[in-house]
Amino acid sequence: MDDNIILMKDIYKSYKMGKQTLPVLNGISIKIKRGEFVAILGPSGSGKSTLMNIIGCIDVADSGEYILAGKNINSRNEDELAFIRNREIGFVFQKFNLLPKFTAVQNVELPLLLRGVKRTDAHERALKILEGVGLSDRANHKPIELSGGQQQRVSIARALIGEPDILLADEPTGNLDSKSSKEIIDLFIKLNNEGHTIILITHDLNVASKAKKVLHIMDGQIYS
């Protein structure tokens, strides 16, 4: 059995800007094994956000091959991509993206409710996940009542509840102070030690250095 959870080969992506074509990814090839903690490090404009969108099945490459958890992504339609995205990948964003009128536990249980899981089962699972990220005592607090670091923990719990193969984090410490940033990175290290595959997109060398492997992206190309 192939232990690569992500296999990309010769990925190209460009965008139309009026009459011009702007190349963004220029022949990217990467392999990420199941259970790895990988940081993709690059400055603004390097192509890392586009690469993240393709890894997360939010966007598709113009050419090249992408195999995610044994599935060939290139040939999938929008509905199939949405299904794969919702089942295989848990997303953690810089701005948390929590629903302000929902409590922490309500935010976390929502993905399971949308899948049709019974509310009592989703609630029980959400409480357990919140406990795992150190927030069992904040389950009934709304986002405005939580610190930035606590909100990001809720976001991580929400990403984990569907038991995805991959946790994909886009600048997850970008809105946090140094203390909260360290706590979030320590949580990612803990989750990785528990077996989760983590891909961290960042421009911060200090954050990237905590991963077990760092891939540098510059001008749409990867340098290990």
Side-chain angles (χ1 to χ4, degrees):
M1 179 180 174
D2 189 353
D3 62 352
N4 288 314
I5 195 166
I6 285 178
L7 178 60
M8 286 183 161
K9 187 176 180 181
D10 296 329
I11 294 291
Y12 285 84
K13 182 69 180 181
S14 60
Y15 294 103
K16 294 284 188 183
M17 302 285 285
K19 294 183 179 181
Q20 291 186 318
T21 298
L22 177 66
V24 181
L25 300 182
N26 302 302
I28 288 210
S29 297
I30 58 175
K31 294 179 181 179
I32 296 176
K33 290 182 168 56
R34 192 175 296 275
E36 278 196 304
F37 183 3
V38 178
I40 298 176
L41 175 67
S44 178
S46 60
K48 65 181 187 298
S49 294
T50 299
L51 179 58
M52 187 207 75
N53 288 340
I54 293 174
I55 290 173
C57 300
I58 296 169
D59 203 353
V60 291
D62 296 334
S63 62
E65 183 179 47
Y66 178 23
I67 306 296
L68 168 63
K71 302 174 183 67
N72 191 322
I73 299 303
N74 304 62
S75 58
R76 308 288 172 152
N77 62 35
E78 281 295 326
D79 289 341
E80 290 170 328
L81 286 173
F83 182 83
I84 292 169
R85 185 167 63 240
N86 291 334
R87 299 284 172 158
E88 305 286 357
I89 299 170
F91 292 90
V92 179
F93 299 100
Q94 179 177 347
K95 294 184 178 178
F96 318 138
N97 292 356
L98 300 176
L99 296 174
K101 294 184 178 180
F102 281 25
T103 63
V105 70
Q106 288 171 331
N107 268 283
V108 174
E109 69 190 12
L110 184 60
L112 292 189
L113 296 177
L114 294 175
R115 289 187 190 180
V117 175
K118 281 172 43 180
R119 183 173 293 277
T120 52
D121 293 340
H123 190 77
E124 183 179 342
R125 173 73 178 152
L127 288 174
K128 186 175 180 181
I129 294 285
L130 281 171
E131 182 181 358
V133 300
L135 277 185
S136 56
D137 60 336
R138 294 289 187 268
N140 294 312
H141 288 63
K142 292 182 178 179
I144 197 171
E145 301 170 315
L146 302 173
S147 69
Q150 289 170 338
Q151 289 184 60
Q152 192 61 290
R153 285 174 181 267
V154 175
S155 173
I156 292 169
R158 182 184 56 191
L160 288 170
I161 197 165
E163 299 182 332
D165 282 327
I166 296 167
L167 203 57
L168 183 57
D170 180 20
E171 301 280 7
T173 63
N175 280 347
L176 303 177
D177 59 38
S178 57
K179 180 176 180 291
S180 297
S181 295
K182 182 182 182 305
E183 290 172 352
I184 292 301
I185 293 303
D186 286 345
L187 177 56
F188 280 127
I189 292 170
K190 172 179 174 285
L191 292 170
N192 178 244
N193 289 337
E194 292 171 356
H196 294 278
T197 305
I198 296 173
I199 302 172
L200 181 72
I201 313 294
T202 185
H203 71 278
D204 189 326
L205 179 59
N206 183 54
V207 170
S209 69
K210 308 304 181 184
K212 292 179 180 176
K213 180 166 78 174
V214 180
L215 300 176
H216 298 262
I217 185 167
M218 180 67 71
D219 298 328
Q221 294 183 310
I222 285 286
Y223 305 89
S224 54

